[in-house]
Amino acid sequence: KKLGLNHFFLPDIVIFLDVDPQIAMERIERRGEKKQVHETKEKLSKLRDAYLITCKVLNEDLKIPTFVMPGDDSIEGNVEKAVRFVRNNL
């Protein structure tokens, strides 16, 4: 509200796939493509911290169901956890 962004709609639910910056960097290296400007361990750490703060505000202050899901599971495992969270919170 202080930034004049109060015309945006808030989500009904939030799922944040949390990946440790070191693991993210290893995955980026493995893909074998040119790195983007933000793809450094330092910048990914800052982004992660900001997203975690945002998740906390959404959950605690705005009472939006928020799931910080560890990003170290398989795709199938992550989908299962996400579906379970949505079903339990909507």
Side-chain angles (χ1 to χ4, degrees):
K1 291 180 182 178
K2 290 179 183 179
L3 298 174
L5 302 175
N6 53 354
H7 62 279
F8 290 106
F9 294 103
L10 292 174
D12 294 325
I13 197 166
V14 172
I15 298 173
F16 173 62
L17 185 60
D18 184 22
V19 179
D20 180 271
Q22 181 60 41
I23 292 171
M25 287 305 301
E26 291 168 9
R27 292 175 180 174
I28 289 166
E29 293 290 335
R30 279 197 307 258
R31 84 176 169 214
E33 298 175 7
K34 183 179 177 185
K35 290 183 194 172
Q36 296 182 20
V37 138
H38 69 277
E39 293 178 328
T40 66
K41 187 174 177 183
E42 179 183 335
K43 288 184 180 181
L44 291 175
S45 293
K46 288 180 182 181
L47 284 169
R48 179 186 187 211
D49 291 345
Y51 277 115
L52 291 171
I53 290 168
T54 301
C55 287
K56 183 177 180 179
V57 168
L58 289 170
N59 190 44
E60 294 178 7
D61 297 344
L62 300 176
K63 306 303 181 205
I64 295 171
T66 304
F67 179 30
V68 177
M69 182 169 49
D72 56 356
D73 200 353
S74 66
I75 292 173
E76 295 81 8
N78 284 334
V79 168
E80 183 181 319
K81 286 187 260 184
V83 168
R84 188 176 328 118
F85 180 75
V86 170
R87 284 187 177 145
N88 290 334
N89 288 282
L90 287 183

